[in-house]
């Protein structure tokens, strides 16, 4: 597969997806409310060895928006259809960050035959508390009334560690730009979908594929204890913590994260 930023009709919507490289398929599933560009460093690093597939999910980036609620299952179904459209029969190495991880649970549940390995960055298996759900619905109201500019800057302290904000101001700038370029209806729809997502903590013990759990040591949203505990429940799982960085570990510490993922993928090749 060559180099491409392509537009495809997938599951009834126009989807933009970055596809590049050759070799085993590595599917990069972005977090909220971002787009495939959050994986820029991973795309650059892995495209020489893998077929890197990095879509803009429904309602994000340049992919068509669905108003209302977009569930995590809907996103997983879109990804399954995307792989069909790309004629990819080989099982995928699924790498998801945060919301991308919530989608990974649904992908595993509904399309287990498509999965070769899981890489879960800064995510959790539990559903939201009542307070968490209320906060999401407040954000939906705010963003629908006042647009993504009303949430972008205030999200940064939860997403990026203080050290990263101080030492690499370009990361926050890049993220704000991604958030502000996202349509308010797309943000609202997935935010509602996350609010109603299931709790997977009692099911993840059934995951059979090799799994890597990566978390930033300063992650405020899905802290190391949460990820560590989650990792111990997945049978064939490795846990790794990246020092000094927050929720956006792949953007904040790309070299370390890429190395961890690479080592893991090499070990999957041998298993
Ligand atoms: C993300 O990074 O995708 C979000 O933090 C997910 C969430 O809001 O739970």
């Amino acid at each position: 597969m060559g180099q491409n930023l392509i537009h495809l009709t997938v599951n009834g919507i126009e989807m933009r997806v970055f596809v590049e490289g050759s070799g085993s398929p590595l599917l990069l599933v972005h977090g909220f409310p971002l787009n495939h560009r959050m994986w820029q460093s991973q795309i650059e690093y892995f495209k020489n060895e893998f077929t890197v597939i990095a879509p803009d999910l429904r309602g994000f980036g340049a992919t068509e928006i669905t108003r209302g609620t977009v569930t995590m299952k809907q996103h997983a179904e879109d990804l399954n259809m995307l792989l069909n459209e790309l004629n990819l029969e080989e099982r995928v190495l699924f790498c998801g960050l945060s919301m991308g991880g919530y989608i990974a649970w649904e992908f595993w549940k509904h399309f287990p035959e498509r999965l070769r390995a899981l890489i879960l960055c800064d995510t959790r298996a539990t559903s939201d508390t009542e307070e968490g759900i209320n906060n999401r619905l407040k954000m939906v109201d705010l963003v629908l009334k006042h647009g993504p500019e009303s949430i972008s800057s205030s999200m940064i302290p939860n997403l990026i560690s203080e050290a990263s904000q101080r030492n690499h101001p370009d990361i926050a700038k890049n993220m704000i730009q991604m958030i502000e370029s996202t349509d308010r209806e797309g943000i609202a729809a997935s935010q509602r979908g996350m609010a109603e997502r299931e709790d997977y903590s009692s099911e993840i013990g059934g995951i059979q594929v090799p799994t890597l759990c990566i978390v930033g040591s300063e992650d405020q949203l899905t802290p190391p204890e949460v990820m560590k505990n989650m990792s111990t429940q997945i049978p064939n799982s490795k846990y790794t913590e990246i020092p000094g960085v927050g929720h956006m570990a792949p953007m904040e510490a790309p070299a370390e994260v890429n190395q961890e993922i690479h080592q893991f993928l090499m070990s999957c090749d041998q298993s």
Side-chain angles (χ1 to χ4, degrees):
M1 231 172 251
Q3 171 171 346
N4 269 317
L5 190 53
I6 51 179
H7 292 255
L8 291 171
T9 303
V10 172
N11 216 9
I13 55 162
E14 285 298 299
M15 180 177 263
R16 181 175 72 175
V17 51
F18 185 95
V19 186
E20 186 169 353
S22 56
S24 300
L26 173 63
L27 179 62
L28 301 175
V29 184
H30 65 78
F32 171 90
L34 306 172
N35 61 58
H36 82 277
R37 289 197 300 107
M38 67 146 282
W39 297 113
Q40 200 52 48
S41 304
Q42 286 67 44
I43 289 172
E44 291 304 319
Y45 185 90
F46 288 105
K47 69 184 184 191
N48 296 328
E49 264 182 276
F50 296 88
T51 302
V52 177
I53 305 148
D56 289 347
L57 297 168
R58 188 179 286 253
F60 297 93
T63 291
E64 204 175 319
I65 298 145
T66 305
R67 285 165 178 257
T69 301
V70 173
T71 60
M72 300 302 104
K73 182 172 175 222
Q74 170 79 74
H75 283 307
E77 285 169 354
D78 289 348
L79 294 176
N80 178 50
M81 295 299 278
L82 169 64
L83 299 176
N84 288 346
E85 283 299 321
L86 294 171
N87 289 320
L88 275 172
E89 279 166 23
E90 196 180 332
R91 290 187 298 152
V92 295
L93 307 154
F94 188 120
C95 174
L97 178 126
S98 200
M99 180 177 77
Y102 311 157
I103 297 167
W105 308 132
E106 291 286 347
F107 192 86
W108 161 69
K109 186 166 168 181
H110 297 284
F111 312 106
E113 70 291 348
R114 290 214 100 132
L115 205 53
R116 170 77 181 92
L118 271 176
I119 300 149
L120 301 165
C121 307
D122 303 87
T123 192
R124 61 171 76 234
T126 50
S127 54
D128 289 337
T129 59
E130 210 177 310
E131 189 192 352
I133 292 173
N134 288 336
N135 287 338
R136 287 194 193 281
L137 300 181
K138 276 188 206 147
M139 188 204 268
V140 167
D141 284 345
L142 186 65
V143 84
L144 287 177
K145 273 195 201 113
H146 302 292
E149 297 76 11
S150 62
I151 57 166
S152 51
S153 301
S154 61
M155 288 184 81
I156 296 301
N158 275 335
L159 294 173
I160 306 173
S161 74
E162 275 178 28
S164 297
Q165 290 180 64
R166 207 173 38 246
N167 301 331
H168 305 284
D170 50 306
I171 300 175
K173 209 169 134 200
N174 191 357
M175 289 198 63
I176 289 176
Q177 203 272 331
M178 268 190 269
I179 297 170
E180 293 186 353
S181 68
T182 308
D183 189 279
R184 63 184 76 191
E185 292 286 351
I187 295 178
S190 280
Q191 185 65 298
R192 292 193 190 101
M194 286 192 283
E196 59 180 64
R197 74 187 193 281
E198 277 177 46
D199 192 316
Y200 281 101
S201 37
S202 61
E203 296 185 47
I204 60 177
I207 293 177
Q208 296 301 329
V209 294
T211 301
L212 173 67
C213 297
I214 301 180
V215 67
S217 66
E218 311 307 311
D219 188 337
Q220 308 288 317
L221 296 175
T222 49
E225 316 83 84
V226 169
M227 286 286 289
K228 197 171 196 171
N229 182 37
M230 184 184 97
S231 178
T232 59
Q233 293 168 46
I234 303 175
N236 186 5
S237 165
K238 182 183 174 225
Y239 170 81
T240 183
E241 223 170 280
I242 311 290
V245 301
H247 191 63
M248 298 306 301
M251 287 179 77
E252 296 177 66
E256 291 85 340
V257 168
N258 291 347
Q259 200 187 3
E260 288 291 343
I261 295 177
H262 192 254
Q263 257 175 26
F264 169 73
L265 293 178
M266 292 302 105
S267 71
C268 290
D269 237 15
Q270 283 144 24
S271 63

